[in-house]
Amino acid sequence: MENQNISDIIEAYLKQILAESQEVEIRRSEIANQFNVVPSQINYVIKTRFTIQDGYVVRSKRGGGGYIRIEKVKLLDNLDFIDSLVTAVGDHITRHDGLAVVRSLFEAGTINRREANIMLAAIDKTALNTGDRDLDEQIRAQILISVLDHLRYES
Amino acid sequence: MENQNISDIIEAYLKQILAESQEVEIRRSEIANQFNVVPSQINYVIKTRFTIQDGYVVRSKRGGGGYIRIEKVKLLDNLDFIDSLVTAVGDHITRHDGLAVVRSLFEAGTINRREANIMLAAIDKTALNTGDRDLDEQIRAQILISVLDHLRYES
DNA sequence: GTTCTTTTGACTAATGTTGACTAATATTAT
DNA sequence: ATAATATTAGTCAACATTAGTCAAAAGAAC
C-alpha cells in the first residue's frame, strides 16, 4: 500500500471506472500525462491487466480522434464461457495468465472460492516446478483444460 | 536469550508485528538493511520459520513496488490427517494411489464431491501426460501436496 | 570431529519503466 | 482524387527494480 507501483495505480483507476460503467474509453496520451508516465506504459498496463483471461476486451483506433476502449466482457452461457477459456488457455499458459483464468471462473460464479483455491494450488509454482519452464506451462495448460472440461459436465 | 542468532531476531521482529495485525508486508531489501544481512537471508528466515505448518502463508511480487507479504492463517483441525496424507504422497505417486488420497479426503469430509472431482481432473491422465511416467508421478505428487497444504487452513 | 543450522553472495527470474521506432487513421494542401 | 502532413496508438528492446534459488563457507550443537 505504501509503495505501489504506478502500473497498479493506473489499473485501479481504470477498474474503478469499470466498476460503474460497462466500458471505459481513454485517450492514451491523456492518461499517460495524468499519471506522468510515457504513453507506452498504458499499453503495458492493458497488456498485463486487461486481458481476455481477465474478462476484458480492448479495442482501439489510431489517428485523429483515436482512443483505447476497454470493455468488461459479458459472459454468455456457461458452456460458451468455458469454451472461450479453453481457447484462451491453449497449449501453454503462464502462472500469471492461469491465475486470471481461475479468477474469471470465480467471478463468473462458475466456481466458488474454495474451488478456486484448489485450482490455484494445483497450478501454482509449488505444484509445477520441473525446471523446464516451457514444460511447466504446457502441463499447467493441460491441468486447466482438464478441470475446465470437468466443469462443463457439472454445470 | 543472549545467544540468539540474527535469523531468530528477524523472526521475532516479524512475529511481533503479526501479533497485532493479521499480516505484515515488507520490502526485502529494507529489512535486510535494517538488520544488516544480505537480502537472501530474509528468504531463509521465511522458509524456515513461516511455513504453512506454522500457520503462515507467504506471497510476494518482484519488480518495482515488489514486496513480501506474510499472512497468519487459521489452521484447521485436520493437521495430523493432512500430514499423514502428505507423507503417503511422498515425492512420487501413481494415478491409482492419487485417487485413493482424494477419496480419503472425500470420505473424511475434508472436501465435497465437486472439490474431489476438481482434484481428480487435475491429476488424471488427461492432465498429466508428459510421456515420462516417472515425471508424471512426480508432478502428480507435487500437485497433491500443494492442494493438501491449502486444505490446512481457511481462506 | 561430524552433523545440522546459519550466513553469504553470485546468479537467476519476474515485473515495471522508458523511449526510439513503426503503423494506422485523419486532416489538409494541391 | 492524391499526396503530404499531423495525430493518434502499437511494438519492441534496453534498462531498472525488485525477489528467488542454490551451493559454498562459516558457525553452532552434539
Side-chain angles (χ1 to χ4, degrees), chain A residues 19-115:
Chain A
E20 294 181 354
S21 60
Q22 182 68 26
E23 66 173 35
V24 56
E25 180 175 313
I26 63 173
R27 170 144 319 186
R28 187 178 74 154
S29 57
E30 266 177 21
I31 300 295
N33 242 308
Q34 185 176 329
F35 290 96
N36 213 41
V37 297
V38 295
S40 62
Q41 179 138 15
I42 308 306
N43 297 88
Y44 175 74
V45 170
I46 287 173
K47 193 172 178 190
T48 54
R49 290 147 164 92
F50 292 89
T51 67
I52 182 62
Q53 287 97 339
D54 292 311
Y56 298 96
V57 166
V58 179
R59 281 165 299 163
S60 64
K61 200 170 80 167
R62 308 186 193 186
Y67 58 80
I68 300 177
R69 197 174 319 166
I70 305 173
E71 193 184 343
K72 182 122 186 96
V73 153
K74 262 281 191 290
L75 303 176
L76 314 171
D77 63 66
N78 244 324
L79 288 187
D80 284 349
F81 177 54
I82 289 177
D83 276 345
S84 72
L85 286 182
V86 167
T87 303
V89 169
D91 56 5
H92 282 67
I93 191 167
T94 63
R95 274 196 295 128
H96 179 273
D97 286 347
L99 182 111
V101 166
V102 175
R103 184 161 39 219
S104 288
L105 285 168
F106 172 65
E107 280 171 7
T110 308
I111 60 177
N112 64 28
R113 182 174 297 279
R114 258 180 74 95
E115 292 156 0

Side-chain angles (χ1 to χ4, degrees), chain A residues 114, chain B residues 76 78 81-82 104-112 115 151:
Chain A
R114 258 180 74 95
Chain B
L76 298 176
N78 58 12
F81 178 54
I82 299 281
S104 293
L105 286 168
F106 175 64
E107 283 169 2
T110 306
I111 59 176
N112 64 29
E115 291 157 1
L151 293 174

